Amino acid sequence: MLSILHELNDRLKVALGQAFPAAAAAAEAEGSALDAQLGPASKPEFGDFQANGALALAKRLGMQPRVIATALVEKLEAAAGFSDLCERPQIAGPGFINLTIKPERLAAEVASRLQDPRLGVSSAAEESEAQGRGLAPVIVDFSSPNIAKEMHVGHLRSTIIGDSLARVLEFRGYQVLRLNHVGDWGTQFGMLITHLKQVAPEALSTADAVDLGDLVAFYRQAKQRFDSDEAFQSTAREEVVRLQGGDPVSLKAWHLLCAQSRREFQQLYDRLDISLNERGESFYNPLLAAVVADLEASGLLVSDGGAQCVFLEESSAHKLPPVIVQKSDGGFNYATTDLAAIRYRFAAPPAGDAARRVIYVTDAGQASHFAGVFQVARRAGWIPADGRLEHVPFGLVQGEDGKKLKTRSGDTVRLKDLLDEAVERSEADLRRRLQEEQRSESEEFIQQVANTVGLAAVKYADLSQNRITNYQFSFARMLALQGNTAPYLLYALVRIAGIARKGGDAGVIGDAGNTGDAGNTRDSNQITGLFSKLQFHEPQEWALVRHLLGFDAVIAEVEEELLPNRLCSYLFELSQVFNRFYDQVPVLKAPPEARNSRLALCRLTADTLKLGLGLLGIPTLERM
RNA sequence: GGGGCUGUAGCUCAGCCGGAUAGAGCGACGGUUUCCUAAACCGUAGGUCGUGGGUUCGAGUCCCGCCAGCCCCGCCA
């Protein structure tokens, strides 16, 4: 409905100019045009849209709000074509203008979406092409585990939220660089390499000689020796120097450790169907000296206690710690790496990505770090005027006791274990239900459904919450079959698939969001024939129509605000509206003149759910 | 000590540019199945939007103070 919203807004703007020419011209001259404050209606009984501008303009124009509203409505109604778009506007309360779109127009929108694999969402790529300019890539920096360590619950939110944001941006037509900024460089490699050289020297001379097996245990052993053995410690320190000096044997050992970790991470990414390009901290290593030199040249660098720092501009009298870019021992640290990354990502190729939007999905605890680093980058002139640099923070994962999520024994929860448990619980639940309903299904079906539902539940539970707040993790809640959960949404889709099997044409589009491509285009002649004369009469049909048409606006919102929970709410509400329709309005048993229109609604609902869930990284099921 | 985030129904949470009577879900209580998967639907009860000021025609939303919880705070990431 974004196109209708824009059309109405344009019409309101014209009406404002006609009704109040002097004030409109004056406002225009000031650079702040009069605003009709058009937005979606706050309640269904108010229609489709409401314009609140009359209230705000009352003081400025020195008139009663209702008088302003009346004048506006008069001009609106007099304009050519308005009555084809909209019912007579209603003035309500102190001066709200309520607008209801004509049923024929809504039905036409539904018909057009049935033929549109993008479901009404415009493509940024096509838009920029039409305007004859290029579209800069967007970078989403997410997941970012550390080499030689395990992925744990702390990586869950970044990985899931980052993937979903990337999918939405990809669907909108952007080229998205999904960067995995893995921790693959730093002093811990001294001890790891030293340990490797001592316990598995053959790995360094023979190709693929050794499978390191449990890397976590390996890391623990190395750490334990580092902490207890002084000789080991000094060897490890020398090893760091060798590695940074480019010693071939040290590099080989380093590669080996990275490759091993990469394989383990990849298993989880495959399982979650998440794609990432690894570009770890080591990538920026050769660029660090230039970062410091650049800061020096721009006069931002200050030596303080032997360390090279940039002091932050403070908005008030509060004293912020400086950003240290070079330690007193000459080494660089994480702030330097982050600065090098920002510089590279905005810079022109070949020594840069030429991005214009860079998004960091990390926990909220790093907010002040990023605020500092972003400020330094800005003052250093590395961010173009049209460049956006955004930290997308999220809260902690907590247990049901409200404390940081831990296992019973107090350890960090491994991501693998967490996913396993979700799938196991989902399987147990499914088996219990099959027994209760005396259904018999193949083992393959059970595994497939349990896996899909379990992983969907984990993803959806995370995404459906506003990411800023801490997130209380609960298997029971996320796997619940009712409420705002993945199983509830998946079930709505299963119901539609059931209608399709029993004779209704559902012809749902393919797994759109998963590929960033909306899938098969349909035979438009066939569709036009089938759904050309849509007509709706029941309130449940209209509620569904109106909700379906809101999809494009939600995608636009997620693209801008980077809040996937908005998409989740939309899909949940869509499922609710659909279930009401399904419960109260027959589809297959409807009289022929209503049947096709209802089938069309079923299909568009399925398409929308499937696409929407795909953008959350959640695949769907035909039966469950 | 400084900074950030959070505080909305018993619980978990939404609440978009400030807009009409603050919304869901769970839980509780009551109802609905010869009919497309009842994993659903319908209804009832439940609120000092932490608190005190301010701005505004209008504040859960913006500004200031206070209280509480969590997180961060110079050479780890």
Side-chain angles (χ1 to χ4, degrees):
Chain A
M1 293 260 264
L2 279 177
S3 58
I4 291 180
L5 180 77
H6 291 143
E7 182 180 346
L8 267 178
N9 211 12
D10 290 344
R11 285 178 176 276
L12 277 162
K13 205 169 174 186
V14 170
L16 273 167
Q18 289 170 346
F20 313 104
E28 199 78 47
E30 275 173 39
S32 64
L34 296 185
D35 185 6
Q37 295 188 12
L38 180 69
S42 56
K43 291 189 176 181
E45 57 263 36
F46 299 151
D48 294 301
F49 299 100
Q50 64 183 66
N52 303 337
L55 287 93
L57 287 172
K59 183 166 265 184
R60 187 164 186 170
L61 298 174
M63 297 165 74
Q64 296 291 329
R66 287 190 72 103
V67 175
I68 298 171
T70 306
L72 264 178
V73 166
E74 229 166 76
K75 297 295 179 194
L76 270 183
E77 288 193 280
F82 180 79
S83 59
D84 298 330
L85 172 67
C86 207
E87 304 284 3
R88 294 202 64 172
Q90 303 294 315
I91 298 169
F96 300 105
I97 302 174
N98 291 336
L99 299 158
T100 303
I101 303 302
K102 289 251 180 178
E104 305 82 58
R105 185 63 192 264
L106 292 176
E109 287 284 315
V110 170
S112 112
R113 283 211 189 174
L114 282 161
Q115 298 171 73
D116 176 11
R118 299 189 56 82
L119 302 186
V121 178
S122 60
S123 157
E126 283 168 21
E127 282 163 9
S128 66
E129 202 173 313
Q131 290 168 21
R133 57 186 171 81
L135 187 64
V138 176
I139 287 174
V140 183
D141 178 322
F142 68 104
S143 197
S144 309
N146 289 316
I147 294 291
K149 289 196 191 168
E150 190 137 38
M151 285 188 79
H152 53 79
V153 63
H155 299 107
L156 179 72
R157 303 201 76 186
S158 177
T159 305
I160 290 173
I161 294 168
D163 174 60
S164 176
L165 293 176
R167 285 177 194 261
V168 171
L169 292 162
E170 281 157 0
F171 182 68
R172 273 282 289 131
Y174 294 97
Q175 181 205 333
V176 176
L177 255 69
R178 302 158 154 259
L179 293 185
N180 200 1
H181 192 80
V182 299
D184 65 353
W185 204 249
T187 47
Q188 77 274 20
F189 281 95
M191 69 181 194
L192 289 168
I193 295 171
T194 305
H195 188 56
L196 178 68
K197 281 181 170 175
Q198 292 177 7
V199 300
E202 68 278 15
L204 298 169
S205 48
T206 321
D208 293 328
V210 165
D211 183 356
L212 289 173
D214 190 352
L215 257 188
V216 179
F218 182 86
Y219 185 95
R220 245 185 245 130
Q221 289 159 15
K223 179 88 169 82
Q224 206 239 321
R225 290 184 67 188
F226 186 84
D227 290 340
S228 60
D229 181 345
E230 274 183 33
F232 183 88
Q233 217 176 89
S234 60
T235 315
R237 292 222 172 82
E238 290 159 21
E239 188 56 62
V240 175
V241 177
R242 264 199 295 281
L243 177 65
Q244 294 185 336
D247 175 81
V249 181
S250 301
L251 276 175
K252 169 104 202 241
W254 175 73
H255 278 299
L256 215 70
L257 289 163
C258 291
Q260 177 72 22
S261 279
R262 201 169 291 136
R263 274 196 290 277
E264 295 192 8
F265 296 155
Q266 196 56 45
Q267 284 177 12
L268 280 162
Y269 293 137
D270 286 346
R271 200 170 167 194
L272 292 167
D273 187 28
I274 286 173
S275 78
L276 272 157
N277 303 311
E278 184 180 318
R279 193 197 274 173
E281 293 169 351
S282 62
F283 177 88
Y284 303 99
N285 201 43
L287 309 172
L288 300 179
V291 164
V292 177
D294 223 2
L295 292 172
E296 169 86 73
S298 53
L300 294 175
L301 210 60
V302 175
S303 182
D304 189 78
Q308 301 303 307
C309 309
V310 178
F311 284 87
L312 296 171
E313 286 173 346
E314 289 142 33
S315 47
S316 56
H318 309 304
K319 201 169 163 82
L320 295 170
V323 173
I324 294 175
V325 296
Q326 190 163 24
K327 300 187 282 186
S328 49
D329 68 1
F332 304 110
N333 63 6
Y334 60 96
T336 329
T337 308
D338 281 337
L339 284 167
I342 293 171
R343 189 163 167 265
Y344 187 91
R345 291 167 181 186
F346 282 112
D353 296 314
R356 284 298 173 271
R357 191 177 190 187
V358 178
I359 294 162
Y360 290 84
V361 187
T362 79
D363 70 276
Q366 296 187 48
S368 48
H369 161 68
F370 278 115
V373 165
F374 288 180
Q375 190 199 112
V376 172
R378 208 166 288 280
R379 284 160 67 200
W382 297 334
I383 307 172
D386 59 346
R388 297 173 74 176
L389 185 54
E390 295 165 274
H391 179 217
V392 172
F394 54 83
L396 290 172
V397 180
Q398 298 174 321
E400 287 180 79
D401 57 0
K403 291 181 183 160
K404 197 171 169 181
L405 189 69
K406 291 268 167 78
T407 62
R408 278 203 199 102
S409 53
D411 296 330
T412 305
V413 179
R414 306 196 309 164
L415 195 45
K416 179 182 183 301
D417 295 341
L418 186 145
L419 300 180
D420 285 347
E421 183 167 353
V423 173
E424 278 162 25
R425 284 180 182 241
S426 153
E427 182 181 334
D429 203 58
L430 176 62
R431 287 190 192 279
R432 187 178 47 72
R433 290 184 42 78
L434 290 177
Q435 196 165 19
E436 272 173 16
E437 294 169 21
Q438 301 185 327
R439 275 168 67 190
S440 165
E441 299 285 357
S442 72
E443 199 55 29
E444 191 193 349
F445 174 88
I446 293 171
Q447 294 307 323
Q448 159 76 7
V449 170
N451 193 54
T452 303
V453 170
L455 297 180
V458 170
K459 287 189 178 188
Y460 188 83
D462 198 328
L463 293 166
S464 60
Q465 185 143 140
N466 186 320
R467 41 159 242 271
I468 315 265
T469 50
N470 289 346
Y471 157 51
Q472 198 172 106
F473 192 93
S474 160
F475 283 115
R477 273 203 299 270
M478 69 177 65
L479 286 162
L481 307 166
Q482 54 279 106
N484 188 6
T485 65
Y488 178 88
L489 302 203
L490 291 172
Y491 178 62
L493 214 34
V494 162
R495 288 183 130 180
I496 302 172
I499 291 177
R501 274 196 305 276
K502 302 244 161 110
D505 164 50
V508 175
I509 59 172
D511 277 322
N514 295 337
T515 55
D517 180 286
N520 326 323
T521 2
R522 303 185 187 105
D523 181 337
S524 59
N525 289 330
Q526 185 196 339
I527 305 298
T528 314
L530 199 54
F531 297 136
S532 59
K533 291 186 207 106
L534 296 176
Q535 42 181 302
F536 308 111
H537 302 283
E538 304 300 328
Q540 294 91 337
E541 293 174 313
W542 284 116
L544 190 49
V545 165
R546 291 196 151 90
H547 207 83
L548 284 166
L549 294 179
F551 184 66
D552 55 351
V554 170
I555 297 301
E557 206 176 299
V558 176
E559 176 189 348
E560 187 55 32
E561 311 283 337
L562 306 177
L563 290 171
N565 66 305
R566 297 273 165 81
L567 177 54
C568 295
S569 297
Y570 171 82
L571 295 173
F572 173 56
E573 284 161 16
L574 177 59
S575 305
Q576 281 184 310
V577 174
F578 173 77
N579 275 330
R580 212 161 291 148
F581 163 84
Y582 179 93
D583 192 61
Q584 296 165 11
V585 181
V587 176
L588 293 177
K589 287 177 182 150
E593 62 276 15
R595 197 169 177 270
N596 272 353
S597 294
R598 290 179 188 169
L599 280 173
L601 287 183
C602 287
R603 188 162 90 183
L604 188 53
T605 302
D607 287 354
T608 306
L609 282 173
K610 217 166 181 182
L611 178 56
L613 284 167
L615 295 177
L616 299 173
I618 297 173
T620 58
L621 295 163
E622 292 283 303
R623 295 193 306 121
M624 61 192 278

